[in-house]
Amino acid sequence: MSWVSFVGSGPGDPELLTVRAADLIRQADVVITEAPEHEALVAALRGPTAAAVEFVDGGFGEDGQPLTHAARAKVVVKQAKRRLRVVRLMTGDPFVYASGPEEAAAVAKAGLGFEIVPGVSSVAAVPAYAGIPLTTKDHREVAVVTCGDSKIDWSQYADDRTLVLLSGVGLIGDIAKALIAAGRSAETPVAMTRVGTTTEQQTVTSDLAHIAADARAARMAPPAVIVVGKVVSLRETLSWFETKPLFGWRVLVPRTKEQAPALSTRLRSAGAVPEEVPTISVEPPRNPQQMDKAIRGLVEGRYEWVAFTSVNAVRAVREKFDEYGLDARAFSGLKIAAVGDKTASALLEMGLRPDLVPAASDQSAAGLLEVWPEFDADLDPINRVFLPRADIATENLIAGLTELGWECDDVTAYRTVRAAPPPAPTRDAIKTGKFDAVVFTSSSTVRNLVGIAGKPHPSTVIAVIGPATAKTAEEHGLRVDVLAQEPSIEALADALADFGSSRRAGLLEAGQPVTKPSDRKPAARRRATSS
């Protein structure tokens, strides 16, 4: 059956895509795009299967010029006849200020089937993201006007209902004059929001008398949505998106494959624009014999304790268990220690509950030593500890356990390998302060980032996951601005958000405009300061 789904992609924020829209995009054989960013949207949704999708440009011709509605309809009909799963992806909503009706009519005329999947329209979404409700109990009428038509009679909008103006950025001066001439007060509030619902969103608030000059001063450019009316004044109280603690911050995330998605998601929820840069990958040890021997010793009762200091250590042991056909029963009679909530959670997934964890205030190797019992020959039948960890881990834990009377089998369970340098533009952005912050999740990410890309610029905020990572950063000449309360990526992201919130509040209290760290660049590189 020949069929095409007209799918609204929403106003810009990919997370505003509907569930039905996401399902259809994941199943599509052909996606007819309308905007350049649509291919990236599909790739993000499809993941590894994105390569199987055929993209057809339904917004612009070979000459780079926008297609007419009729030309777009021909493209859609041609693809629909191929008897494949075709998605026509359209900005906003297919039936709201879009070419959806004309294209759908052409599909129907050709005797082909179609469906409409509504999208969140920018008419309501962009003002909502700007903190401006289109209606209240005192303002119940809204008029939406597409301003490309120069024949609009503005006198019919002389009352006090809320106006939403589309395609009006370049005409706002003339529009404002026409509304004032029609009887609207020159002090009527006006808001102009460009690239709404994205982390590049910018809103200018003014009144009819000054909006043209204020928009020029702010260099406002399409696409933008303009709201005229008293509801604009509510933005002062209801602005929620542009006031996020890390709004618009470009945050560098040196990563391993496992860590990055969750951390980036958390940062994005605080308004940041995370950019992931591979710095390390986790690989098996070069010589697996030591790990094999340790696993056999674990099964044979060689150890009293097993200490896990990272999720990667848990994963490495679990992979060995899978290789040998073992399960959680092999830990019977063993005591288990874990550093960090994520490590403990990884153990729980194996069916293991840690017997010993550090205090919540010090989730580190040092914190583990604080609660680790001394060896007692009368109580402990075995004095040996199995410690699976990275090839470049610090020796503090081993030294501390030895002082407590324990013997340690310090086993390399995995290696951290330095990645290739990032592209030249990314290296330049790191060195010249185009990133507002960088988040380090381990000492190895510090060493590897500096090794492959150089030191972050002194204007860049440095956030680290724990004391050991902070020490490494300082050893590399970086001043640590943010230290997570506990060693988890959630705590790290939240600590950076708290820093951004405090910084924003300080600027506002001082009567200064809210800027990002990359907007101000000190002349000299920061150095670690002694305490």
Side-chain angles (χ1 to χ4, degrees), residues 295-302:
I295 296 298
R296 286 196 299 271
L298 184 151
V299 175
E300 294 168 357
R302 177 179 172 82

Side-chain angles (χ1 to χ4, degrees), residues 119-471:
V120 176
S121 173
S122 61
V123 170
V126 172
Y129 268 58
I132 301 171
L134 295 185
T135 63
T136 68
K137 63 183 180 64
D138 297 319
H139 304 90
R140 298 179 179 274
E141 289 190 61
V142 181
V144 182
V145 185
T146 302
C147 303
D149 188 349
S150 59
K151 299 179 181 179
I152 296 172
D153 179 10
W154 291 104
S155 64
Q156 62 182 312
Y157 304 112
D159 52 25
D160 63 353
R161 62 184 144 162
T162 301
L163 300 181
V164 179
L165 310 180
L166 307 177
S167 304
V169 175
L171 302 170
I172 189 60
D174 293 337
I175 294 170
K177 290 178 182 177
L179 287 172
I180 293 172
R184 287 230 180 192
S185 168
E187 297 178 355
T188 301
V190 181
M192 181 184 292
T193 303
R194 62 178 296 273
V195 288
T197 78
T198 74
T199 49
E200 297 177 9
Q201 176 174 309
Q202 178 186 4
T203 301
V204 170
T205 54
S206 183
D207 56 32
L208 285 176
H210 303 96
I211 183 60
D214 291 343
R216 281 195 303 271
R219 299 182 179 179
M220 298 294 280
V225 174
I226 302 167
V227 180
V228 179
K230 294 179 180 179
V231 292
V232 171
S233 61
L234 294 172
R235 170 177 159 81
E236 187 173 339
T237 302
L238 300 180
S239 178
W240 62 275
F241 187 55
E242 292 170 64
T243 56
K244 284 190 172 186
L246 301 177
F247 181 77
W249 282 35
R250 189 180 178 189
V251 179
L252 181 67
V253 183
R255 67 167 175 85
T256 64
K257 291 181 180 178
E258 295 80 9
Q259 292 169 326
L263 179 54
S264 292
T265 298
R266 192 84 167 196
L267 291 168
R268 200 173 286 114
S269 69
V273 185
E275 295 187 29
E276 299 170 3
V277 174
T279 57
I280 58 176
S281 61
V282 177
E283 305 288 345
R286 287 192 176 89
N287 184 354
Q289 294 177 353
Q290 187 186 27
M291 189 67 170
D292 292 338
K293 181 181 177 181
I295 296 298
R296 286 196 299 271
L298 184 151
V299 175
E300 294 168 357
R302 177 179 172 82
Y303 303 109
E304 179 75 8
W305 283 92
V306 182
F308 293 97
T309 58
S310 70
V311 173
N312 287 326
V314 177
R315 186 176 292 115
V317 169
R318 186 168 190 168
E319 288 173 356
K320 279 295 178 184
F321 269 43
D322 291 342
E323 183 180 329
Y324 285 115
L326 299 172
D327 57 30
R329 289 173 293 183
F331 282 87
S332 177
L334 279 168
K335 297 173 184 175
I336 301 171
V339 175
D341 293 338
K342 290 296 180 184
T343 306
S345 296
L347 286 168
L348 286 172
E349 290 176 5
M350 286 184 67
L352 302 170
R353 187 177 299 276
D355 300 284
L356 185 69
V357 294
S361 60
D362 190 7
Q363 288 282 335
S364 65
L368 186 60
L369 286 171
E370 286 290 329
V371 296
W372 196 289
E374 288 189 36
F375 172 70
D376 188 323
D378 294 328
L379 298 176
D380 301 307
I382 305 170
N383 72 335
R384 191 169 294 276
V385 178
F386 173 29
L387 183 58
R389 57 195 193 130
D391 56 333
I392 56 173
T394 60
E395 305 300 320
N396 297 349
L397 183 55
I398 297 172
L401 291 173
T402 302
E403 287 182 10
L404 291 169
W406 297 93
E407 292 185 17
C408 293
D409 278 1
D410 180 26
V411 178
T412 298
Y414 60 94
R415 293 180 297 129
T416 54
V417 180
R418 181 178 291 180
T426 302
R427 297 199 303 272
D428 177 70
I430 292 169
K431 294 176 182 178
T432 59
K434 294 177 183 176
F435 284 101
D436 297 289
V438 56
V439 288
F440 290 114
T441 56
S442 66
S443 291
S444 55
T445 56
V446 178
R447 287 188 290 265
N448 289 347
L449 180 71
V450 173
I452 66 177
K455 295 180 183 179
H457 190 274
S459 67
T460 305
V461 174
I462 306 297
V464 300
I465 200 167
T469 308
K471 182 180 178 183

Side-chain angles (χ1 to χ4, degrees), residues 486-523:
E486 58 182 67
S488 72
I489 57 176
E490 292 85 0
L492 176 58
D494 291 349
L496 182 59
D498 289 343
F499 177 90
S501 182
S502 297
R503 183 180 180 276
R504 186 178 191 279
L507 290 170
L508 291 172
E509 186 176 348
Q512 299 177 7
V514 176
T515 59
K516 297 178 294 185
S518 60
D519 295 331
R520 296 180 176 181
K521 299 182 177 64

